[in-house]
Amino acid sequence: MEVGVAPTVAVGWAARNSRGSWQLHTAEATWDRAGAHAGKPISTEQGGAIFDLASLTKPMVAFAVARTGLDRARSLGSFLTEAHATPSEDVPLELLLAHRAGLEGHVPLYWPLTQGKKIDRRPALARAASARRADVAGSPPRGGFAPLYSDLGYLLAGEALARAERARDAGEVVELRVVAALELCDELGTARTLEARGIGFAERVVPTEIVGWRGGEVRGRVHDENAWALAGDGGEGHAGMFGTAGAVLAFGCAALDAVARRDGPLACGDVHWLVAERPGGTLRAGFDTKSEHGSSAGERAGPRTFGHLGFTGTSLWIDPDADAVVVILTNRVYSTRDNSKIRLARPLAHDALFTMAARARAH
């Protein structure tokens, strides 16, 4: 990873060996603010660095939906009264997960907080459900509208999931349905839960951005403003999970096993719909897939590779043909989000990780 991309980096790769077992490897490094390599891992005695996973939360939420057995054909309005009389009332849950509900990508629901005012959750959710794009109208066709990556869709899907499960928020359902199954409760979860577990969360979590209206350095609270405004130290459908590189790697391995219909901690019947091809682009229901040209997954990843990126500087890519998983976690938004060097670094780093995974599998 290029110096200057982020002050803290954790990477990992996993490969399935000839005996069918996963080999997992992780490493960490940190740089000082001048860009010089610190020369030692940042891990504490209690474990590795913990990162704000940002949108890597989304595939975890999609898996939580699958593991609850929730009917993904149910309309949003059947879950949320706030969606009644909005364009999203009759939109099926699956189209929200697949970014085909016709919603805008983002609306600053958090804006009242910047003015010293409080957030009223119900009107905020109604506003999200009302954020229909100008280029679409009416009820969505069976396969949904043309895809547009939407945090709002996942925010609403996460709220539907939480209410169906009578949970505080989507993050709690992910913890119950995904994290517990992976036996990673000390390495993956919301800030609320990780703080309560006595694992040194405050010392291990890496900072994200310095934001004046949030009191300065954001550390140990979700970076995404809408998620923070609505869930605080919990988790929404689009962001809010924190974790180590090893935990994200383990999730990726279990996700691949589940999609490939192999036994594993996340196996729960047919979950292939999470990565099934959909018209109009690379976005699936919980994951993205490798684009034909210029993918951040790099050149070494196979054509069926699926995964996700996170705004804070995180990534997870899973190659089912190579039985390989790679992870990069950074806080590239520290101390400002105006840092785009990771766009160049990601494909190169993913190539290196997939290469190491391939060598390990060959031996």
Side-chain angles (χ1 to χ4, degrees):
M1 183 70 69
E2 178 187 355
V3 174
V5 170
T8 305
V9 177
V11 301
W13 58 263
R16 180 182 289 278
N17 61 29
S18 59
R19 298 182 298 278
S21 300
W22 285 104
Q23 301 178 61
L24 283 71
H25 296 265
T26 61
E28 296 176 359
T30 190
W31 286 264
D32 63 25
R33 293 190 179 186
H37 192 278
K40 61 181 180 180
I42 59 173
S43 303
T44 70
E45 293 180 359
Q46 293 170 293
I50 297 173
F51 293 78
D52 179 339
L53 300 180
S55 285
L56 298 195
T57 299
K58 291 183 175 74
M60 297 177 189
V61 166
F63 255 97
V65 169
R67 288 181 60 76
T68 60
L70 204 59
D71 182 2
R72 60 187 189 273
R74 278 182 61 182
S75 68
L76 181 64
S78 70
F79 294 102
L80 308 184
T81 58
E82 294 89 342
H84 292 177
T86 73
S88 301
E89 179 176 5
D90 297 324
V91 173
L93 180 62
E94 183 167 355
L95 294 187
L96 294 164
L97 296 171
H99 302 281
R100 286 165 169 81
L103 290 170
E104 297 285 357
H106 176 74
V107 169
L109 304 175
Y110 65 89
W111 184 252
L113 296 181
T114 69
Q115 309 302 306
K117 300 177 181 179
K118 293 183 179 180
I119 290 285
D120 191 331
R121 186 177 183 84
R122 291 179 63 85
L125 291 171
R127 186 183 177 195
S130 299
R132 177 66 71 84
R133 305 199 310 264
D135 62 318
V136 298
S139 298
R142 185 172 181 179
F145 295 113
L148 177 72
Y149 184 84
S150 176
D151 278 352
L152 298 179
Y154 265 80
L155 188 155
L156 294 166
E159 184 67 18
L161 173 65
R163 293 195 187 178
E165 293 292 292
R166 300 182 178 180
R168 282 178 286 185
D169 50 41
E172 184 173 73
V173 185
V174 172
E175 290 169 339
L176 293 171
R177 296 289 188 167
V178 176
V179 178
L182 294 169
E183 299 182 348
L184 290 172
C185 297
D186 286 344
E187 294 187 58
L188 181 63
T190 61
R192 176 181 60 221
T193 297
L194 293 176
E195 280 182 325
R197 290 193 65 83
I199 59 166
F201 176 74
E203 295 75 30
R204 294 168 57 189
V205 68
V206 301
T208 52
E209 195 168 12
I210 296 175
V211 183
W213 65 269
R214 290 184 64 175
E217 183 180 271
V218 178
R219 183 168 185 162
R221 290 296 179 267
V222 60
H223 177 263
D224 181 90
E225 295 92 346
N226 281 347
W228 179 69
L230 295 177
D233 59 0
E236 291 293 339
H238 65 295
M241 299 301 290
F242 288 76
T244 64
V248 177
L249 202 58
F251 167 75
C253 294
L256 176 52
D257 283 339
V259 168
R261 298 181 175 87
R262 295 190 289 247
D263 290 337
L266 296 185
C268 56
D270 182 18
V271 294
H272 192 263
W273 61 273
L274 294 170
V275 297
E277 186 174 354
R278 295 172 185 268
T282 60
L283 292 168
R284 306 298 189 247
F287 294 92
D288 197 1
T289 52
K290 183 182 177 181
S291 55
E292 187 174 353
H293 302 289
S295 173
S296 73
E299 298 296 325
R300 296 282 299 179
R304 296 200 304 136
T305 296
F306 60 93
H308 217 288
L309 304 180
F311 184 77
T312 53
T314 58
S315 58
L316 165 68
W317 286 107
I318 302 165
D319 186 343
D321 296 319
D323 263 344
V325 180
V326 302
V327 167
I328 300 173
L329 303 183
T330 81
N331 58 338
R332 70 96 193 167
V333 294
Y334 187 78
S335 58
T336 172
R337 68 187 67 192
D338 298 326
N339 177 1
S340 60
K341 291 181 180 180
I342 198 168
R343 294 178 183 174
L344 297 175
R346 268 176 169 150
L348 300 176
H350 291 139
D351 279 346
L353 292 169
F354 273 121
T355 297
M356 286 187 278
R359 288 173 179 169
R361 192 171 184 226
H363 291 86

